[in-house]
Amino acid sequence: MSDHSHSSPDATAHAAHDISSHVRVYIGVFVALLFGTLLTVGMYYVHFESMAVTISIALFIASIKSFLVAGYFMHLLDEKKMIYSVLAVTAAFFVALGSLTLWSSHDLPRDSKMKTHYVP
Amino acid sequence: MEIPYTYKARPDTGLYNAKVGIWLFLASEIMLFGALFSSYILLRVQAPDGVWPEMRLGWPHGLLNIPIGTFNTVVLISSSVTVVMAWASLKMGKIAAFRRYMILTLMCAFGFLGVKSYDYNEKFTHYELRLKNGEVHTGHLEVNGKHPGFWSFADIWNLDRLTKEKVAEVQFTADPPKPKAGEAHAAEAGHEHVAKAIKRDEISRLEAFIPRNHNFFAIYFTITALHGLHVFVGALVMAYFAFPGSRMWRTNPEQFTNRIEVVGLFWHFVDLVWIFLFPVVYLL
Amino acid sequence: MTKILEMLGLPASASNHASALDDFTAYVHLLMLVLFVGWLAYYLIALVKFRKAANPSANHAGVKSNMSTYLEGGVAVIEAVLLIGFAIPLWAHAVDDLPAATGNPKTDPIEVQIMGMQFKWNAHFAGPDNKFGKQEIKEASQGNPFGIVAADAAAKDDVVCVAGEPFKLPVGRAAVCRVSSMDVIHCFKVGAMRVTQDAIPGMSIPVHFVPNKVGKYAITCAQLCGSGHSVMRGEFEVVSPEDWEKWYADKSKAGGGGSFE
Amino acid sequence: MQATNHTAAHGGGHEAHHHEPGFMQKYIFTTDHKMIGIQYGLTALIFLLFGFCLMLCMRWQIAHPGHPIPLVGSLLEKVLGDVAKDGKMSPDLYNSFGAMHGTIMVFLAIVPLAFGAFGNYVVPLQIGAPDMAFPRVNMASYQFYFLGGIIMFISFFIPGGAAQAGWTSYSPLATSIPTHGQAFWLIGMVFLISSSLLGAVNFIATIIQLRAPGMTWMRLPFFVWAQFVTGFLLLLAFPPLEAASVMQLMDNLFGTSFFLPTGLAVGGRLADISGGGSPLLWQHLFWFLGHPEVYVLILPGMGIVCEIIANNTRKTIWGYKSLVFSVLAIGFLSFIVWAHHMYLTGMGTKISAFFQTTTMIISIPSVILLTCFFISLWGGSIRFNTPMLFALAFLPMFGIGGLTGLPLGFNASDIYLHDSYYVIGHFHYVVAPGTIFGLMAGIYFWFPKMTGRYMNETLGKIHFWFSLLGMNLVFAPMFIQGLKGMSRRMADGGTTYFGADDIAIKLNTSITHAAVLLGLAQLPFIVNLFLSIRNGRKVESDNPWQATTLDWATPTPPPHGNFATEPIVYRGPYEYSSPGAARDFTPQGQKV
Ligand code: HEA
Ligand code: HEA
Ligand code: CUA
Ligand SMILES: [Cu+2]
């Protein structure tokens, strides 16, 4: 637990110049986010052969953007252990929900039919 | 005894209460939106290949208005910056700057909602028309000389309603033939809109771009509406803190700053959801 | 062991794979029984021995031994054995080992489409030509739940039992039931055969079994499906192969899938 | 409670500037965790009774299908209309009572009682906090719960009646019933889920932030640990059901097809829907909540039982550390076992092997928990007062329920037992003589703290023995019915399947009688509860059970703000009969 980091909750501990250096970071992040948005949209107009590539690129950019928002705007890069633990658990369960549901919709008894009407 | 750590950090966790609270709340929100995203993926993966609407079951592409979506993305990103700047202003003790940034944020929030409702309306007035001979068109509808569906659910037509109101014929302006996936709206300019009369009896299905039309719209409206609700609630709370709530600045600046941080966290989360939502429903 | 379960009410089974399942269920119950009786005995002794009157002052630390760790480890090991040795293979057999056709019309598995419908079970056989008639969604109706296209040549000899009419299966020959539903989720359960499978609209899932006793068997619906759930009961009869051939041929001639005009 | 408020109010440090709030402030719109706890408790008990009354009507129908319900039949006909024609229970009514029995018991009775009431009342006291971290959120949480309850209750009286698709609300059935009962159910659920979310955020934040000085994690009473894990289960498992509820509501009201596949027929005709949805998606989202939910039902009960056993054996809990790790393991694992409710929806070998392996793994920490409680008895000096009797009975009852979970957890044996009365027997053993007993134990145990008076022991013992008898006579025969192949949710009690002469059908009647007995056994409790508020024997001190945890270090009843002076914690929670100590208990807040 690193108590003497920048985001020490004690407001008075913040020297003003400290904050203004933060502000520069925020502006930088903002520009990066705009750039990411442009990239995402641009990617849409450039046609990739496979859907998989398109999806991967789009999600990759979205992940970077969300990393920036969470990391800098939400100060997650500089957060306390307790919050990390909560988020880690949440992330694990989210992944479990998505992946196990998807898996079970693909691992069916042999010769089962899906996606179709009941008539085989 | 008073409740401790309402704004001072607890030494061993390094956190004040509301910060713990908001992160826990956001964790539950992750599961909420996560479940919706998972459902989206599952439904989409299970849908057979094929491009809607030519094939009833396929997952549609390029039906949403990308420029509008992009614009809204920029709006939300900007609002995230202004919120964090508002908080930074408080940290530096500048209440006036704080208020300016909050007003900017609110403008972004309501701008987002306004654009979003325009977007919704565009969908409500757009139709998918299936003919008994197997042809499928999308386009705009004119019934008895009126263009239906302006900001209103009740105006939306479907086959049942045509039958009930004994409409024998509708005028249908088909969209331009789709050039390539993804450029549906870009190409609209060069197209001449000619309405064609279509008999009620030729139609086998008539449905606006509303949730029941296709699961794509179902999920699109459900997630974006839920997201919009978050934007709306967040905006209300921020409006409160920007004006009446800011009295607290005079009595307890530290607690007030914390509150803005907490509100900001919520707002950034809403932004985060949109960052995924935009490519996933608009682009892919 | 299975005897004990039968004394408790488990009905006699009538399919080839049933005894393996029943044995397994019995092993699990044996484990449960041992744990329960063991702990209960300990528990009662502890309550009597350490009641306040007999033991006015408590011993702070209590038990010092590691017995419990071994016990928990033991439970874990037994569960692992049951899991890997029995449950998973049994399940793999149930869902993966579909009996294969060899081309011999006398011994090949019999394919049946089972369709749940509020509140009836329907069955559809391919008929003597071994080919299911064409089926289409838009043909489906209450009377023709399988959506058979009557005009199709292959459909003419199909054997169809709708509206709860009992059907028949030959003894000793594998049956593959492809279970589905047209409206809500039902559950195809034939207790005596030890088969259960949800009937889910939009899906068709096979279950297979080899009936080994002639007799009449009830199909129940084990999933809540509406107001008629409790009366949604079907029936089939397991008969000798000769009787079955006869029934099959008669039924096929009597109209079969061609009757849905 | 007000009467004793002053007689026993020797709360020395009751802050002087704190003026007495008015009636509304104090009892209705209160932010005091203790009053909110009591609100939760009373509301939940009323719903418990209501859920039981629904079940009595159903049990009558099961035992005597098609006969008018005695006593209440004509009343039901009057208020509910055609579904209760001639005072008889139609299958529709049976289904809606069944669905609502499940829903009410789970979401409106047990969870609010276990988590809302006990959690609210006891957790802040045990960790030495003045209140919850967010008192107003706490109030909102109760109000959401109350609203959700009202919506559920109203749904009985709308045309067509309440939801009929079981508490599991499987699509497409849930969407194909042409009444609005299901929509009410879904909206009600959204409120209840939101309430639980607010509650969970509050509990977890409180436990993380407001522990008194010296109250380290490993000094937390086990009850607090149980509530902590429960909080996480609520926090992370409920939102998916909230999402699913919204989606099913869309299916219901706006004609979408999230959970409806292509080609669905209603009444033999192709339904006018877009299709393309997945009925199994609903089940996944439901059970993703559903399984953690069952641990929400049991863990607080276990916590209570642990406190009471330690107190009444006068000895530390054996294996505190393994208890804590087990409960954490249960919490974690409970998120990845859910599909054991779905084995028979069509699962391949791999995925079902995964889920049954996790199911078996999760049974191990449950075994550890029980083992620790059992071993804790050894060497104790056991007092058999009413709370202890309930707590002791919890152990074998949970044991039966848990052990019968094993054959359900192995998919091979579940093939035959799935959706039979065996399942009903399994989970009622865990929730009824299990959790309810745990909660009863808690009520008898903390009643003196809440009111300054004991509950009557004689009435308590009558309540206990007849409840124990009743519960077992109700639920044990269900295993036999299940083994005989009787399916659940049968509006005719299974007569169509078995014919009236079968043993299984005969058992129906005896179970119904036992259920009536069980109901009668609650009368002494209700009398006891209300009479003891004013007439019970007064407590001799603030710590009548001579317990060690901080909840007993407060004035009785605890005033607003709870503690006269900030408590400081010096030791673990269960220092009973420590060698060398003057008394047979050493409170956590006592300096050496
Ligand atoms: C509080 C509630 C609760 C609890 C704790 C459990 C615990 C368990 N449950 Fe249960 N379950 C339900 C509530 C609960 N369940 C409900 C409500 C349903 C039905 C839902 C519906 O369909 O409507 C259900 C259904 C259900 C099913 C689905 C059945 C079906 O529909 O086909 C399965 C299958 O795996 C299962 C398994 C288990 C297992 C393996 C455990 C394990 O965690 C159990 C572990 C415990 C032990 C192994 C006991 C250890 C004790 C000892 C070793 C000592 C014993 C001796 C003495 C006491 C003397 N449960
Ligand atoms: C926590 C959950 C819970 C609890 C406690 C109970 C408790 C009981 N349940 Fe229920 N039950 C379910 C959850 C629960 N049930 C669920 C989820 C289902 C499945 C529903 C479905 O199919 O969808 C079900 C289904 C179910 C069935 C099967 C119905 C069917 O499949 O057709 C039966 C049958 O007998 C039954 C019986 C009982 C009985 C006799 C009790 C008794 O143990 C009740 C004991 C309670 C009391 C005796 C009341 C005590 C009252 C007080 C103490 C009041 C005090 C009041 C004041 C002071 C104001 N239940
Ligand atoms: Cu079909 Cu129950
Ligand atoms: Cu479970």
Side-chain angles (χ1 to χ4, degrees):
Chain A
M1 269 165 249
S2 57
D3 263 341
H4 300 285
S5 53
H6 287 317
S7 72
S8 160
D10 199 342
T12 51
H14 276 268
H17 79 266
D18 203 10
I19 284 292
S20 49
S21 77
H22 277 205
V23 167
R24 270 196 301 282
V25 174
Y26 298 148
I27 304 294
V29 169
F30 178 55
V31 173
L33 288 175
L34 287 182
F35 182 67
T37 308
L38 282 181
L39 263 188
T40 321
V41 179
M43 170 212 78
Y44 177 72
Y45 289 100
V46 183
H47 291 276
F48 295 100
E49 267 87 279
S50 90
M51 200 59 197
V53 175
T54 321
I55 293 180
S56 321
I57 296 183
L59 289 186
F60 180 69
I61 301 177
S63 311
I64 303 245
K65 284 166 74 180
S66 59
F67 170 79
L68 291 175
V69 172
Y72 293 97
F73 289 173
M74 299 170 92
H75 312 297
L76 207 51
L77 285 175
D78 194 17
E79 201 37 279
K80 298 294 176 289
K81 211 167 92 195
M82 185 60 74
I83 307 262
Y84 287 148
S85 330
V86 170
L87 290 179
V89 171
T90 310
F93 293 154
F94 167 47
V95 170
L97 171 64
S99 58
L100 291 176
T101 312
L102 209 57
W103 182 16
S104 48
S105 73
H106 284 262
D107 187 21
L108 299 173
R110 224 183 83 200
D111 224 15
S112 302
K113 295 200 180 58
M114 235 196 1
K115 299 180 183 175
T116 53
H117 181 41
Y118 57 92
V119 179
Chain B
M1 268 170 74
E2 291 298 317
I3 299 170
Y5 313 122
T6 45
Y7 58 95
K8 285 255 187 305
R10 180 183 164 106
D12 59 352
T13 59
L15 298 160
Y16 55 90
N17 295 346
K19 183 105 159 235
V20 179
I22 191 72
W23 274 110
L24 289 169
F25 180 72
L26 292 184
S28 87
E29 293 274 57
I30 292 175
M31 294 308 284
L32 177 68
F33 281 100
L36 286 167
F37 274 105
S38 302
S39 306
Y40 167 88
I41 294 170
L42 190 93
L43 291 175
R44 177 158 179 180
V45 168
Q46 280 186 2
D49 301 330
V51 178
W52 191 90
E54 278 71 31
M55 196 178 138
R56 181 86 215 110
L57 283 172
W59 197 262
H61 285 284
L63 290 172
L64 301 180
N65 192 332
I66 293 172
I68 279 196
T70 314
F71 177 76
N72 255 353
T73 311
V74 174
V75 169
L76 265 199
I77 290 178
S78 315
S79 75
S80 246
V81 178
T82 50
V83 158
V84 80
M85 292 302 285
W87 170 78
S89 311
L90 283 185
K91 280 269 182 201
M92 294 184 278
K94 300 182 196 152
I95 182 79
F98 156 77
R99 193 158 291 134
R100 267 200 306 283
Y101 280 121
M102 283 308 255
I103 290 172
L104 276 179
T105 315
L106 285 172
M107 279 163 57
C108 285
F110 287 108
F112 177 90
L113 290 175
V115 172
K116 193 86 224 138
S117 41
Y118 170 79
D119 201 12
Y120 271 28
N121 183 59
E122 203 184 29
K123 294 288 151 309
F124 293 159
T125 53
H126 211 145
Y127 282 81
E128 181 213 355
L129 177 78
R130 263 154 211 284
L131 298 180
K132 292 209 169 115
N133 65 12
E135 280 179 42
V136 183
H137 303 284
T138 60
H140 292 269
L141 197 67
E142 197 184 312
V143 182
N144 298 339
K146 276 186 275 183
H147 291 274
F150 191 68
W151 307 102
S152 152
F153 265 118
D155 261 357
I156 293 168
W157 289 89
N158 58 26
L159 205 54
D160 277 352
R161 186 161 171 215
L162 288 182
T163 316
K164 214 180 282 160
E165 303 193 5
K166 302 204 174 60
V167 179
E169 193 181 84
V170 298
Q171 300 287 322
F172 191 77
T173 317
D175 289 338
K178 231 188 203 181
K180 262 186 265 161
E183 291 174 22
H185 288 272
E188 212 158 334
H191 175 72
E192 36 185 332
H193 291 255
V194 228
K196 234 172 70 185
I198 292 178
K199 293 252 175 331
R200 153 75 181 81
D201 296 335
E202 297 169 37
I203 305 175
S204 70
R205 189 174 198 259
L206 176 74
E207 205 75 79
F209 285 6
I210 52 173
R212 58 167 291 146
N213 191 353
H214 187 283
N215 265 348
F216 168 70
F217 286 115
I219 202 100
Y220 163 74
F221 281 110
T222 309
I223 304 195
T224 53
L226 200 64
H227 176 262
L229 190 69
H230 278 75
V231 173
F232 183 67
V233 172
L236 286 190
V237 175
M238 286 194 303
Y240 172 78
F241 282 122
F243 302 107
S246 62
R247 263 176 321 205
M248 187 184 244
W249 175 252
R250 268 172 278 140
T251 52
N252 191 341
E254 204 176 326
Q255 186 165 13
F256 185 67
T257 313
N258 285 347
R259 290 202 167 173
I260 297 305
E261 185 181 12
V262 165
V263 176
L265 284 173
F266 176 78
W267 194 253
H268 298 311
F269 176 78
V270 174
D271 186 19
L272 265 185
V273 171
W274 184 262
I275 286 179
F276 280 99
L277 203 50
F278 173 60
V280 167
V281 301
Y282 278 78
L283 302 180
L284 295 179
Chain C
M1 254 325 274
T2 321
K3 278 267 153 4
I4 298 179
L5 288 181
E6 277 172 12
M7 270 158 59
L8 285 174
L10 190 71
S13 63
S15 68
N16 281 355
H17 71 278
S19 66
L21 282 191
D22 288 353
D23 284 347
F24 173 71
T25 311
Y27 300 147
V28 181
H29 278 81
L30 184 64
L31 167 69
M32 290 154 59
L33 196 72
V34 169
L35 279 174
F36 184 73
V37 172
W39 272 122
L40 196 66
Y42 160 86
Y43 171 74
L44 294 176
I45 293 172
L47 290 189
V48 174
K49 194 164 166 194
F50 297 104
R51 65 187 193 279
K52 192 177 176 195
N55 192 31
S57 65
N59 170 354
H60 175 75
V63 176
K64 281 260 169 47
S65 90
N66 283 332
M67 267 307 287
S68 68
T69 319
Y70 299 127
L71 196 106
E72 286 147 10
V75 175
V77 169
I78 296 173
E79 282 184 356
V81 169
L82 287 172
L83 193 64
I84 297 163
F86 296 87
I88 295 177
L90 284 170
W91 186 264
H93 170 72
V95 300
D96 289 342
D97 291 349
L98 282 182
T102 54
N104 179 347
K106 293 275 172 230
T107 55
D108 268 358
I110 295 167
E111 295 267 338
V112 200
Q113 293 177 356
I114 298 285
M115 177 73 65
M117 184 175 101
Q118 282 173 330
F119 300 97
K120 297 273 182 313
W121 289 108
N122 307 295
H124 177 200
F125 296 74
D129 69 349
N130 257 334
K131 261 165 99 186
F132 284 103
K134 212 163 130 204
Q135 291 164 279
E136 271 180 19
I137 293 183
K138 58 178 192 295
E139 296 291 327
S141 70
Q142 199 106 64
N144 181 8
F146 294 95
I148 299 171
V149 181
D152 186 47
K156 299 282 183 223
D157 71 335
D158 285 12
V159 170
V160 184
C161 299
V162 295
E165 182 191 343
F167 58 92
K168 298 192 185 187
L169 290 174
V171 68
R173 199 164 140 188
V176 178
C177 299
R178 298 186 182 273
V179 181
S180 185
S181 161
M182 68 190 294
D183 37 39
V184 301
I185 300 179
H186 302 273
C187 182
F188 175 77
K189 175 164 180 175
V190 188
M193 300 294 159
R194 307 290 192 266
V195 294
T196 313
Q197 173 60 53
D198 277 4
I200 300 169
M203 294 173 84
S204 144
I205 303 164
V207 288
H208 60 97
F209 57 96
V210 183
N212 59 15
K213 275 195 204 114
V214 295
K216 284 188 175 163
Y217 299 99
I219 308 170
T220 35
C221 175
Q223 184 66 262
L224 180 64
C225 54
S227 54
H229 166 59
S230 64
V231 296
M232 180 164 168
R233 184 176 187 266
E235 196 177 75
F236 65 86
E237 194 176 347
V238 174
V239 295
S240 69
E242 301 76 43
D243 288 353
W244 184 76
E245 293 288 355
K246 187 164 169 308
W247 171 81
Y248 204 47
D250 288 352
K251 190 80 184 136
S252 163
K253 282 201 206 84
S259 59
F260 296 115
E261 320 281 351
Chain D
M1 260 154 265
Q2 206 181 3
T4 52
N5 216 341
H6 301 290
T7 49
H10 35 164
H14 199 281
E15 283 153 73
H17 65 266
H18 183 262
H19 63 99
E20 278 295 304
F23 177 84
M24 289 298 264
Q25 280 268 295
K26 189 160 172 202
Y27 295 108
I28 312 290
F29 296 105
T30 172
T31 56
D32 181 358
H33 72 99
K34 296 179 293 298
M35 188 47 74
I36 293 177
I38 290 172
Q39 289 177 336
Y40 259 116
L42 285 178
T43 322
L45 278 175
I46 289 169
F47 274 116
L48 184 64
L49 191 58
F50 182 54
F52 179 62
C53 293
L54 294 179
M55 183 37 73
L56 277 184
C57 297
M58 292 170 72
R59 285 297 335 168
W60 170 265
Q61 165 74 5
I62 294 174
H64 308 282
H67 292 266
I69 309 172
L71 303 178
V72 293
S74 53
L75 180 73
L76 285 181
E77 187 181 6
K78 236 174 257 145
V79 289
L80 300 179
D82 264 359
V83 283
K85 205 159 180 179
D86 303 329
K88 292 178 192 159
M89 191 171 239
S90 65
D92 283 341
L93 189 64
Y94 183 89
N95 286 346
S96 63
F97 275 23
M100 295 312 280
H101 163 75
T103 309
I104 288 175
M105 283 302 197
V106 171
F107 296 104
L108 286 161
I110 302 296
V111 173
L113 195 55
F115 187 69
F118 281 106
N120 255 312
Y121 200 97
V122 179
V123 166
L125 297 182
Q126 282 198 334
I127 63 175
D131 202 325
M132 284 288 187
F134 313 113
R136 263 179 298 173
V137 173
N138 206 10
M139 175 175 80
S141 157
Y142 174 75
Q143 287 164 349
F144 274 49
Y145 158 61
F146 193 78
L147 272 175
I150 296 281
I151 292 171
M152 292 285 186
F153 184 73
I154 288 177
S155 75
F156 280 96
F157 306 104
I158 63 171
Q164 297 175 16
W167 81 293
T168 48
S169 286
Y170 282 4
S171 276
L173 180 61
T175 359
S176 74
I177 296 169
T179 69
H180 284 302
Q182 189 65 24
F184 272 75
W185 187 90
L186 290 165
I187 296 170
M189 281 309 284
V190 169
F191 275 96
L192 294 176
I193 293 170
S194 308
S195 153
S196 306
L197 287 178
L198 296 181
V201 167
N202 215 341
F203 274 64
I204 301 173
T206 305
I207 296 172
I208 292 178
Q209 289 289 103
L210 302 192
R211 280 166 293 125
M215 182 62 93
T216 57
W217 288 100
M218 280 308 176
R219 284 181 183 167
L220 283 180
F222 180 67
F223 176 76
V224 178
W225 271 111
Q227 293 284 359
F228 186 68
V229 173
T230 307
F232 269 102
L233 298 181
L234 291 171
L235 185 78
L236 300 178
F238 271 46
L241 187 64
E242 187 152 24
S245 297
V246 171
M247 288 193 270
Q248 200 178 68
L249 203 60
M250 296 281 289
D251 279 4
N252 248 313
L253 300 182
F254 299 109
T256 58
S257 303
F258 284 116
F259 306 124
L260 308 177
T262 307
L264 194 73
V266 176
R269 285 192 45 224
L270 222 53
D272 176 28
I273 52 166
S274 71
S278 161
L280 291 187
L281 176 60
W282 165 267
Q283 298 192 15
H284 280 294
L285 294 176
F286 181 87
W287 288 117
F288 185 82
L289 151 110
H291 191 85
E293 172 69 23
V294 309
Y295 287 96
V296 169
L297 295 173
I298 199 73
L299 291 182
M302 290 213 173
I304 295 173
V305 165
C306 181
E307 300 301 302
I308 293 173
I309 287 188
N311 180 261
N312 286 300
T313 53
R314 311 309 295 163
K315 131 179 207 315
T316 58
I317 283 296
W318 192 87
Y320 173 81
K321 269 212 185 106
S322 28
L323 280 179
V324 171
F325 288 122
S326 298
V327 81
L328 288 173
I330 286 183
F332 195 83
L333 287 166
S334 69
F335 282 91
I336 48 171
V337 303
W338 77 84
H340 64 209
H341 297 269
M342 298 169 60
Y343 287 142
L344 295 161
T345 56
M347 285 205 155
T349 309
K350 291 191 223 74
I351 182 80
S352 76
F354 175 86
F355 278 112
Q356 63 177 328
T357 308
T358 51
T359 302
M360 286 309 127
I361 295 178
I362 201 177
S363 72
I364 300 297
S366 304
V367 172
I368 297 180
L369 287 176
L370 265 253
T371 307
C372 288
F373 295 153
F374 274 129
I375 297 185
S376 298
L377 298 176
W378 200 264
S381 167
I382 305 174
R383 311 161 171 175
F384 293 97
N385 47 29
T386 310
M388 184 62 169
L389 286 177
F390 275 106
L392 283 175
F394 172 94
L395 300 177
M397 296 296 109
F398 174 78
I400 297 176
L403 289 174
T404 49
L406 298 181
L408 301 174
F410 289 113
N411 51 15
S413 34
D414 192 46
I415 293 179
Y416 182 71
L417 298 172
H418 174 64
D419 262 349
S420 69
Y421 263 78
Y422 197 94
V423 177
I424 301 285
H426 151 65
F427 73 77
H428 279 90
Y429 257 102
V430 222
V431 293
T435 304
I436 293 189
F437 277 12
L439 299 176
M440 287 296 168
I443 294 177
Y444 284 98
F445 187 63
W446 276 294
F447 190 85
K449 177 70 3 187
M450 299 182 191
T451 63
R453 289 168 192 269
Y454 290 103
M455 284 175 78
N456 182 295
E457 276 288 304
T458 317
L459 286 174
K461 290 202 166 120
I462 297 176
H463 175 208
F464 168 73
W465 286 109
F466 281 98
S467 294
L468 184 66
L469 188 69
M471 288 287 187
N472 282 290
L473 289 179
V474 170
F475 297 119
M478 290 186 181
F479 294 123
I480 292 176
Q481 293 183 319
L483 280 173
K484 292 204 74 140
M486 189 160 133
S487 290
R488 54 194 285 205
R489 295 165 165 173
M490 290 285 173
D492 64 354
T495 33
T496 306
Y497 181 59
F498 282 114
D501 295 330
D502 200 281
I503 283 281
I505 301 300
K506 298 239 164 72
L507 285 174
N508 274 340
T509 326
S510 87
I511 293 178
T512 300
H513 292 161
V516 174
L517 171 77
L518 175 62
L520 293 177
Q522 309 307 313
L523 293 180
F525 169 70
I526 298 177
V527 170
N528 197 351
L529 187 70
F530 288 108
L531 286 190
S532 301
I533 294 174
R534 277 157 201 276
N535 304 324
R537 184 161 61 89
K538 277 199 192 140
V539 294
E540 313 76 35
S541 77
D542 283 339
N543 187 1
W545 305 113
Q546 307 198 304
T548 49
T549 45
L550 286 181
D551 41 339
W552 302 102
T554 60
T556 309
H560 200 89
N562 295 344
F563 292 89
T565 52
E566 189 178 39
I568 299 177
V569 175
Y570 298 98
R571 57 179 59 75
Y574 305 116
E575 290 293 327
Y576 287 102
S577 305
S578 306
R583 295 176 296 177
D584 73 344
F585 68 106
T586 326
Q588 284 191 283
Q590 178 183 312
K591 257 202 190 126
V592 196

